[in-house]
Amino acid sequence: MGRTLVEEQLHEAKPGEAELPWAARCGDLKAIARLLDAGADVNERAQCPGSIDHLTTPLIGLLKGCEYSARSSSETLRVVAHLLERGADPNAATAEGATPLMNAAMS
């Protein structure tokens, strides 16, 4: 059985790039739920794949988008809702001061 896109990206991840930011960046709700159920921290700050930001949360990573994702706006909203329901901090900011709302507005 072949790997999913997120599994393939995780396989190629660099040290310090955590699984949850990869799954969130690509909007993979099933992977996000599985990782959170396994104990991943919904507010963990990690290197976001493809980002110049040093540390970011999964919610910010999701809203920055993923060039590999073909998700619709409604799919993105479902993932945002899931992360918020699981305790994601909507006010957490990047080191540069960007919040999830700011990232959503720019995408």
Side-chain angles (χ1 to χ4, degrees):
M1 187 170 142
R3 294 182 195 164
T4 67
L5 177 62
V6 171
E7 290 168 335
E8 187 63 35
Q9 296 300 317
L10 288 173
H11 178 73
E12 297 175 11
K14 298 178 183 120
E17 293 179 334
E19 291 180 343
L20 188 55
W22 271 107
R25 180 110 171 147
C26 292
D28 188 330
L29 184 55
K30 288 181 183 180
I32 291 167
R34 180 178 42 76
L35 291 165
L36 291 173
D37 288 345
D41 180 357
V42 73
N43 289 304
E44 174 186 13
R45 292 182 177 274
Q47 178 66 37
C48 191
S51 172
I52 60 170
D53 293 332
H54 296 287
L55 297 175
T56 190
T57 66
L59 182 58
I60 291 172
L62 167 70
L63 294 172
K64 284 189 173 204
C66 178
E67 63 273 17
Y68 304 111
S69 177
R71 68 180 179 268
S72 67
S73 296
S74 62
E75 290 171 317
T76 299
L77 289 175
R78 281 193 291 275
V79 179
V80 167
H82 185 78
L83 288 170
L84 291 172
E85 288 168 3
R86 299 293 296 261
D89 182 357
N91 297 310
T94 65
E96 293 78 19
T99 65
L101 180 59
M102 292 168 71
N103 282 291
M106 289 187 273
S107 60

